[in-house]
Amino acid sequence: AQSVAQPEDQVNVAEGNPLTVKCTYSVSGNPYLFWYVQYPNRGLQFLLKYITGDNLVKGSYGFEAEFNKSQTSFHLKKPSALVSDSALYFCAVRDPLNYGGSQGNLIFGKGTKLSVKP
Amino acid sequence: NAGVTQTPKFQVLKTGQSMTLQCAQDMNHNSMYWYRQDPGMGLRLIYYSASEGTTDKGEVPNGYNVSRLNKREFSLRLESAAPSQTSVYFCASSEHGHNYGYTFGSGTRLTVV
């Protein structure tokens, strides 16, 4: 069965420092991976996705994520954090080999709260 | 381009009351979804509709019903609200195909007292 884990409930970083939000996954085939961000009292917004190709994917707001097949990870990164990056971040996975019916739905992690302090 | 529109944004219900949460998308997406978000629980899928005319249960369907009225609209109904249904509800839509992500609405914050 497909699954995704975000091992940290909260990540705290100082403004200007690099940030990493971790995500690991489990699928039977090659995964399709997504990151979403949720600002307070808002819906989830798409940040970036990995489908195929380069393992380093660049997305919105200066974020990037690195796909690591051997470690089954897709960690979200940003070289220099901003206070405005403070939000809830969700990783999601889909296994295209199981596409169809409920197996085709995105599976979301429980989210990681990122707090960036000035 | 409005994307996914949810109404209402806020609602307070008394236990036992009924209500319908509305969702509409203008992106011609085939698939639509209803999630609830609770602290520490992440997003949990209530129901989804892979295409117009079809609906299926998700992870937590009990106490809810849905209607895919047409390709644009997917409503969620609470027939007899309970305090355990106090949550933030999100509607989402997506194009058909496994490389597509979801577009989310801004949510409905529901409180059942």
Side-chain angles (χ1 to χ4, degrees):
Chain A
Q2 307 167 76
S3 66
V4 61
Q6 295 180 240
E8 300 156 317
D9 290 336
Q10 181 155 345
V11 171
N12 299 310
V13 297
E15 188 174 32
N17 283 0
L19 70 87
T20 299
V21 183
K22 295 180 180 177
C23 172
T24 60
Y25 64 88
S26 175
V27 300
S28 55
N30 290 319
Y32 288 2
L33 294 153
F34 301 78
W35 274 104
Y36 287 83
V37 60
Q38 183 182 29
Y39 297 104
N41 301 312
R42 304 290 296 276
L44 279 71
Q45 298 176 32
F46 171 78
L47 269 181
L48 51 79
K49 66 180 178 182
Y50 172 81
I51 302 300
T52 187
D54 287 341
N55 290 341
L56 186 64
V57 179
K58 294 188 183 296
S60 306
Y61 311 121
F63 283 93
E64 58 189 26
E66 186 170 12
F67 171 63
N68 188 316
K69 188 172 183 178
S70 63
Q71 296 186 5
T72 62
S73 67
F74 189 56
H75 299 334
L76 182 70
K77 300 181 180 183
K78 188 173 183 181
S80 179
L82 299 173
V83 173
S84 58
D85 293 330
S86 298
L88 191 56
Y89 291 81
F90 289 93
C91 181
V93 68
R94 177 187 284 132
D95 181 353
L97 290 184
N98 284 318
Y99 192 73
S102 63
Q103 298 297 321
N105 294 334
L106 282 180
I107 304 300
F108 287 87
K110 293 193 181 299
T112 298
K113 183 178 180 180
L114 173 66
S115 178
V116 182
K117 299 296 186 185
Chain B
N1 190 346
V4 177
T5 302
Q6 291 184 237
T7 56
K9 293 190 184 301
F10 302 94
Q11 184 72 49
V12 178
L13 289 179
K14 294 182 179 179
T15 297
Q17 286 185 318
S18 63
M19 79 161 295
T20 300
L21 281 63
Q22 306 287 352
C23 175
Q25 51 93 7
D26 62 1
M27 297 168 287
N28 203 35
H29 285 170
N30 286 296
S31 303
M32 298 186 73
Y33 312 83
W34 275 106
Y35 286 88
R36 60 178 290 173
Q37 184 179 27
D38 303 289
M41 304 291 287
L43 293 170
R44 292 185 290 170
L45 182 64
I46 305 171
Y47 271 94
Y48 67 101
S49 171
S51 60
E52 184 179 359
T54 69
T55 60
D56 286 286
K57 295 178 180 179
E59 182 184 354
V60 288
N62 291 346
Y64 304 95
N65 285 300
V66 290
S67 295
R68 184 74 184 266
L69 304 170
N70 47 54
K71 193 171 186 179
R72 289 186 63 248
E73 299 172 288
F74 187 39
S75 62
L76 178 72
R77 183 161 178 84
L78 287 70
E79 290 290 351
S80 180
S84 61
Q85 294 178 304
T86 293
S87 187
V88 181
Y89 292 86
F90 288 99
C91 178
S93 69
S94 72
E95 187 51 86
H96 188 76
H98 42 62
N99 58 331
Y100 291 101
Y102 295 175
T103 301
F104 284 84
S106 58
T108 295
R109 186 174 295 274
L110 176 67
T111 302
V112 183
V113 298

